[in-house]
Amino acid sequence: MNYVFIKDSEGYVFKKLESEVSPDEKIISEKEYMKKSGLASYEKKFGHGGARENAGRKQKFGSPLKFQIRVTKEEKDFLTYAREHNVNYSALMKM
């Protein structure tokens, strides 16, 4: 089942099976078919398929998202102090 590109008596181009070609139709090259049908200019302008812009896996961020917890003023002060002085939490929990 070989396909060929043909041009009929009115100038229209088609892709048909070789066995279905009638005597009034002329076999043409694929390059001529692309040019006459307009597919060549279509591919130049719009391209051929592919992924959409920004499609696919989303990028990973370097730092995790920030979250908020409501705490009292004393708890906030303690956390600030512990961060500034590099307090070892696991050692404190064992006391």
Side-chain angles (χ1 to χ4, degrees), residues 72-95:
T72 64
K73 175 78 171 123
E74 293 83 23
E75 290 171 328
K76 184 177 179 182
D77 291 340
F78 171 74
L79 291 173
T80 306
Y81 176 83
R83 286 183 184 139
E84 288 173 356
H85 294 88
N86 297 326
V87 173
N88 187 349
Y89 295 107
S90 59
L92 282 176
M93 296 301 285
K94 290 181 182 177
M95 292 180 139

Side-chain angles (χ1 to χ4, degrees), residues 40-67:
S41 62
Y42 178 82
E43 281 197 18
K44 279 185 193 174
K45 186 172 182 180
F46 298 107
H48 186 73
R52 295 183 323 272
E53 188 177 340
N54 294 328
R57 294 182 181 265
K58 305 300 179 209
Q59 72 181 42
K60 303 286 185 204
F61 295 102
S63 63
L65 297 176
K66 294 181 180 179
F67 60 94

Side-chain angles (χ1 to χ4, degrees), residues 7-80:
K7 180 177 169 182
D8 66 2
S9 59
E10 295 177 1
Y12 294 105
V13 290
F14 302 98
K15 183 178 178 182
K16 278 188 174 180
L17 285 172
E18 195 172 14
S19 60
E20 295 176 352
V21 176
S22 62
D24 65 329
E25 297 172 334
K26 179 183 171 190
I27 296 176
I28 58 173
S29 67
E30 182 178 3
K31 187 176 180 179
E32 187 178 351
Y33 168 76
M34 294 291 280
K35 188 175 177 183
K36 296 269 184 185
S37 66
L39 291 174
S41 62
Y42 178 82
E43 281 197 18
K44 279 185 193 174
K45 186 172 182 180
F46 298 107
H48 186 73
R52 295 183 323 272
E53 188 177 340
N54 294 328
R57 294 182 181 265
K58 305 300 179 209
Q59 72 181 42
K60 303 286 185 204
F61 295 102
S63 63
L65 297 176
K66 294 181 180 179
F67 60 94
Q68 296 178 348
I69 299 174
R70 293 183 186 264
V71 294
T72 64
K73 175 78 171 123
E74 293 83 23
E75 290 171 328
K76 184 177 179 182
D77 291 340
F78 171 74
L79 291 173
T80 306

